[in-house]
Amino acid sequence: MTDRDRPSDGPEHADVSALLAAEPEPAMPADVADRLQAALRAESTARGTAARPHRDVTPIGTARRRRVLPALAAAAAVVAVVAVGGTALVQRGGGSGADDSSAAGGAAESGGTTSAPEPGTLAQPDGGAADAEGRRLAEAQEAVDTGLAPPALDSAPTDLTCTGGQLDATNVLSVSYEGALGFLVTLPGSATTDREYAVFGCDGDTARRLAVLTPTG
Amino acid sequence: MSGEPGDRLDQRSDVELLQAHVDGDPEAFAEVVRRHQGRLWAVALRTLGDREEAADALQDAMVKAFRSAASFRGDAQVTTWLHRVVVNACIDRARRRAVRPADPLPDDPDRLAALATTDGDPATDRQRRVDVLAALQQLPVDQRAALVLVDMEGYSIDEAADLLETRPGTVKSRCSRGRAGLAPLLEDWRNQVASPSVPSPGPATGAQARAPGPSRIDPNHADPNHTDPDHTDPDGTDPDPTEEGAP
């Protein structure tokens, strides 16, 4: 077994750790700091000219297993004005049942996958619904982009169900999706990504996968 | 909570400032960023190894955080949340760069020297910093991010796992593999480390000798485009072999 294969720390690598720890923090260049503050001023100015775009936001909450929080549905809206800057590959799993999620880990390879979008755009499943699709996904995408997506499930779920309108799964983040309560779930990744994100909705006791968001990379 | 008008921004807590920002204070978020931008910059620079990429990633991350501040749930420190946004932005950017092979990797010694050093550093310190930064860039981004957070920024394994949205075992594995990957690249500097906390001066041959310089680093040693080697565990002893690449 080579050093690179060694799975656990041994004392032989403590010196590497010490070497890294001893590195002083690089100073932020003044021009980078100025540029960052200028960008934030521009955001602030843009916000000031808009009609309360960010104050309409209400916190999203973490849905607990078998926990019924009807009021949460009303409070589940997240950022309403979103500039989805990240590159994402979006697959619409419209109407597919929970069984579809068993293939979520390999969603990129599945037949319904759309082609990769240009950077900074969302894949559009069809031309007519393109804008609406982007809007529907924006909130979940924002949660993914800003690191608010929940930790990944241990494995891709095969038989998700709902109880009382709540998805029976741990580590679920409530989001609004098409005006209704949706559940953002982080799935284990496939061969090409280390994680994927899916939005589920509840139809009675049945969990339906509404969309899959796959970060490129 | 957001404070009365006229309150000094620098007297408010991060959470108070974030709330003030959500309530419409035009200066509050910038103050939060000012407080933490040094460490956030260090994370971005060390993870990406490129000044412009790091600046872009940091700016993108802070704009996203600005827009989504109301989603901050308060179950973590504001600085932890900001770190998470920055780390995600850096990893995403590194992966996008990885699929654009025409883009040069940031391993030019002159560029790295400009990044890693400050005026007045002893020459050996400058060289060591250049070498460390160059060696880091040879690692897969997942290992690099874990090492930056744990070994360089001082986050605990659990905290880093939270930031990276993965399991502590996976972070430990990435750190271990990352250190193992760095070990041969930094061999001469390792030999100069007298104790875990205090590195001794550089190689006896002097900085001009550039003993462990980037030119000695084999770019094929580790493929920076390979973002997730953690699940390849030939002897099955990975502490968390199922975390990634699971079906």
Side-chain angles (χ1 to χ4, degrees):
Chain A
M1 187 169 71
T2 67
D3 272 356
R4 284 178 54 74
D5 294 328
R6 220 176 287 278
S8 60
D9 277 329
E12 69 274 19
H13 295 144
D15 52 356
V16 174
S17 191
L19 188 61
L20 296 177
E23 283 300 297
E25 199 164 85
M28 188 177 196
D31 66 305
V32 174
D34 291 345
R35 179 177 139 193
L36 177 58
Q37 290 295 327
L40 294 177
R41 277 196 300 275
E43 279 294 308
S44 193
T45 300
R47 183 173 75 156
T49 59
R52 295 166 53 89
H54 298 286
R55 299 187 64 180
D56 297 335
V57 171
T58 52
I60 49 182
T62 301
R64 301 297 181 191
R65 185 178 179 85
R66 299 184 183 281
R67 191 171 164 189
V68 180
L69 292 174
L72 196 58
V78 287
V79 180
V81 176
V82 177
V84 181
T87 303
L89 181 98
V90 178
Q91 177 192 19
R92 182 76 197 273
S96 59
D99 287 346
D100 289 346
S101 60
S102 62
E109 293 82 36
S110 66
T113 304
T114 58
S115 59
E118 291 300 312
T121 66
L122 291 170
Q124 311 294 359
D126 59 71
D131 290 344
E133 178 73 4
R135 283 195 299 274
R136 284 195 294 268
L137 291 169
E139 292 172 359
Q141 182 69 57
E142 184 72 2
V144 171
D145 287 344
T146 55
L148 292 170
L153 299 179
D154 292 340
S155 60
T158 57
D159 54 352
L160 282 180
T161 57
C162 295
T163 302
Q166 300 287 321
L167 191 68
D168 289 334
T170 56
N171 294 334
V172 169
L173 191 67
S174 303
V175 296
S176 69
Y177 184 82
E178 295 186 283
L181 183 59
F183 304 95
L184 181 65
V185 177
T186 306
L187 303 168
S190 63
T192 54
T193 62
D194 70 346
R195 65 178 72 90
E196 292 176 337
Y197 305 91
V199 179
F200 287 86
C202 287
D203 181 7
D205 294 338
T206 303
R208 296 196 181 282
R209 194 182 65 187
L210 305 175
V212 171
L213 296 85
T214 305
T216 56
Chain B
M1 183 169 162
S2 58
E4 296 299 320
D7 278 358
R8 290 179 50 149
L9 289 176
D10 59 6
Q11 293 178 339
R12 300 192 210 172
S13 70
D14 287 350
V15 172
E16 288 172 337
L17 286 171
L18 209 56
Q19 184 61 52
H21 163 67
V22 173
D23 290 342
D25 188 323
E27 303 293 334
F29 192 82
E31 173 63 18
V32 176
V33 172
R34 260 190 295 271
R35 289 180 183 180
H36 304 292
Q37 64 187 17
R39 284 192 76 191
L40 297 172
W41 167 251
V43 168
L45 180 62
R46 287 164 164 169
T47 304
L48 290 169
D50 180 278
R51 185 184 192 278
E52 292 309 312
E53 288 271 341
D56 288 347
L58 182 57
Q59 180 173 320
D60 289 350
M62 290 303 97
V63 168
K64 282 180 182 174
F66 180 104
R67 293 172 179 168
S68 61
S71 301
F72 176 70
R73 287 170 290 169
D75 52 1
Q77 290 187 7
V78 172
T79 180
T80 302
W81 172 63
L82 292 177
H83 270 76
R84 181 182 297 136
V85 179
V86 170
V87 167
N88 281 340
C90 290
I91 290 175
D92 287 347
R93 191 168 279 267
R95 288 177 176 153
R96 285 201 296 273
R97 188 172 66 192
V99 298
R100 298 197 307 264
D103 287 4
L105 291 170
D107 56 2
D108 182 312
D110 293 335
R111 293 180 68 195
L112 291 172
L115 294 177
T117 62
T118 56
D119 292 341
D121 285 345
T124 41
D125 287 354
R126 281 203 302 273
Q127 189 57 53
R128 190 190 63 244
R129 291 172 194 173
V130 168
D131 290 345
V132 168
L133 199 53
L136 274 173
Q137 302 314 308
Q138 302 299 315
L139 298 179
V141 65
D142 292 331
Q143 294 177 13
R144 198 185 321 150
L147 280 180
V148 166
L149 291 174
V150 174
D151 280 356
M152 305 186 87
E153 297 297 321
Y155 279 100
S156 70
I157 292 288
D158 286 345
E159 289 168 335
D162 181 46
L163 287 172
L164 295 169
E165 298 173 303
T166 189
R167 295 176 181 179
T170 299
V171 174
K172 287 178 70 175
S173 175
R174 289 175 182 173
C175 286
S176 177
R177 292 171 187 276
R179 291 174 194 132
L182 290 179
L185 303 177
L186 298 172
E187 189 168 1
D188 290 345
W189 293 111
R190 292 167 63 203
N191 294 336
Q192 302 298 318
V193 178
S195 73
S197 59
V198 181
S200 67
T205 52
Q208 289 74 15
R210 294 183 49 81
S215 60
R216 294 189 56 198
I217 294 173
D218 176 6
N220 296 318
H221 176 82
D223 177 5
N225 295 347
H226 184 197
T227 58
D228 180 25
D230 295 347
H231 62 282
T232 56
D233 183 30
D235 55 5
T237 53
D238 189 314
D240 191 8
T242 61
E243 193 274 340
E244 290 180 307

